[in-house]
Amino acid sequence: MKKLINDPFDFVDETIEGILIAHGDHFKRCEGSDRALMRADGPIEGKVGIATGGGSGHIPVFLGYVGHGLCDAVSIGNVFSSPSPDDMLAATKAADGGAGVLHLYGNYSGDKLNFGMAAEMAEMEDIEVATVLARDDVSSAPVEEMDSRRAVAGLFFAYKIAGARAEEGASLGEVAGVAEQAAVNTRSMGVALTPCTIPAAGEPTFEIGADEMELGMGIHGEPGVRRGKIMPADDVVDEMLEHILPDLPFESGDEVAVLVNSLGATPPEELYIMYRRVHRVLGEKGIEIYRSFIGEYATSLEMAGASVSLLKLEGELKRLLDAEAYSPLPPRFGA
């Protein structure tokens, strides 16, 4: 294991400390928690707050999605582990501007349990809470069991769209509604080439041969749909799209946003090679790409691999996707 760290057990807290030092004009700690951050200008009175959270190891998820046009507060757990209910409650209270708070996060059992406890505690303090779960990974369950699917990089679209609607002064129900629309209109699939190493564990999260890849693997190393020899990028993208496109389905005449995301160690050159193939295949099928996002939007420490996400744009999703947003951590938000 080669990492530029100090004590592995200080990994998360030193990461948060570094972010606060580098971006103190953007973030501040939530009252009562060392593992929860909020917008420096928050809470915003009269605005629906959005609180998110999850395990560390995925920057820019989750810390990078706090800011104008995005989330209002975030709680962070140990690497690949859920934050505590108390930290999530601190983030919820910090996000509350008096109009209620949306809990927006990935569909993982630990997060659901602890966020649920935090929501109950917040409601005891007269904070109204709604919940929307991202569940975009087509490889994790069949479409008829979508509520069992895990989240991957497509969570980015829900953050962007819900955050934009909240900035417009919408009600909690309206913000939750567009977040859910973004969630159910998003499909993703990933491919892993190497494992990653959790600092405190000191060993890879799984084993994979030097000449192998795993299609559909989750961002924590959850099993995918198949393991085999590494294929050319075009073949990998084709197989991903064979799973993604019929799942919604995406059809001729649809407009979509495309996210090609690095899991941490895959360089931009390889992402653009993948995107060119996505563009070609969608064009041949009559599906128009309205916006594209290429870079690191949801990582898994130093895992080599990538994911492709498609968001079907309907109703007000296009307008909200285009709205202004800012955080110092992710690569690109604006038009």
Side-chain angles (χ1 to χ4, degrees):
M1 181 181 70
K2 294 181 178 180
K3 291 183 179 289
L4 292 172
I5 60 174
N6 297 306
D7 186 329
F9 294 96
D10 292 334
F11 177 79
V12 177
D13 295 314
E14 290 186 349
T15 298
I16 292 172
E17 182 182 358
I19 287 172
L20 285 168
I21 292 170
H23 307 295
D25 59 336
H26 187 84
F27 297 99
K28 63 182 179 183
R29 291 190 191 273
C30 299
E31 184 176 350
S33 173
D34 290 333
R35 290 285 186 92
L37 301 183
M38 61 184 292
R39 289 172 57 164
D41 61 351
I44 311 300
E45 185 176 355
K47 187 184 86 67
V48 169
I50 302 175
T52 191
S56 185
H58 301 301
I59 287 177
V61 175
F62 297 88
L63 291 160
Y65 293 107
V66 172
H68 175 80
L70 300 164
C71 300
D72 295 271
V74 59
S75 56
I76 295 297
N78 290 327
V79 177
F80 298 175
S81 298
S82 176
S84 72
D86 288 339
D87 290 330
M88 291 179 172
L89 176 62
T92 304
K93 293 167 68 173
D96 179 38
V101 176
L102 173 64
H103 281 177
L104 180 55
Y105 57 99
N107 190 25
Y108 293 96
S109 57
D111 294 337
K112 289 167 65 177
L113 176 64
N114 289 354
F115 254 115
M117 293 174 64
E120 291 177 2
M121 291 187 287
E123 287 172 349
M124 292 174 64
E125 299 190 31
D126 296 323
I127 300 172
E128 184 181 3
V129 177
T131 298
V132 172
L133 302 178
R135 47 204 192 277
D136 53 303
D137 188 350
V138 301
S139 64
S140 55
V143 66
E144 58 268 21
E145 300 174 16
M146 186 174 177
D147 287 348
S148 298
R149 287 179 169 176
R150 60 194 176 226
V152 283
L155 179 57
F156 158 75
F157 289 129
Y159 285 146
K160 182 67 180 65
I161 284 163
R165 193 71 180 99
E167 293 289 349
E168 293 178 344
S171 69
L172 179 59
E174 290 169 333
V175 174
V178 294
E180 175 67 8
Q181 186 183 8
V184 300
N185 275 26
T186 301
R187 299 291 189 272
S188 302
M189 193 170 198
V191 60
L193 307 180
T194 70
C196 60
T197 300
I198 297 173
E203 58 185 32
T205 51
F206 60 90
E207 294 183 0
I208 189 167
D211 61 345
E212 290 183 321
M213 65 175 202
E214 183 154 345
L215 191 73
M217 179 173 281
I219 59 173
H220 306 106
E222 298 94 339
V225 296
R226 74 167 188 87
R227 180 175 291 199
K229 299 297 183 183
I230 294 176
M231 302 188 303
D234 285 359
D235 294 340
V236 173
V237 170
D238 287 350
E239 190 165 347
M240 285 176 158
L241 293 177
E242 286 171 5
H243 288 271
I244 291 172
L245 292 176
D247 196 88
L248 188 60
F250 295 89
E251 299 174 315
S252 178
D254 286 344
E255 272 190 297
V256 300
V258 176
L259 168 63
V260 180
N261 169 67
S262 170
L263 290 172
T266 298
E269 289 87 347
E270 295 175 30
L271 302 181
Y272 280 104
I273 289 171
M274 294 179 69
Y275 177 75
R276 58 173 278 287
R277 185 62 176 182
V278 173
H279 184 276
R280 180 175 299 173
V281 172
L282 296 189
E284 291 172 352
K285 294 182 178 295
I287 300 170
E288 181 180 348
I289 298 176
Y290 175 70
R291 296 253 337 246
S292 60
F293 301 86
I294 301 161
E296 289 188 357
Y297 286 79
T299 64
S300 185
L301 294 171
E302 76 281 15
M303 185 185 291
S307 61
V308 173
S309 301
L310 300 186
L311 167 66
K312 184 175 180 178
L313 294 169
E314 297 176 316
E316 59 187 341
L317 296 186
K318 183 189 295 187
R319 173 179 62 79
L320 296 171
L321 187 66
D322 284 344
E324 180 183 355
Y326 176 73
S327 173
L329 272 65
R332 182 170 66 89
F333 285 119

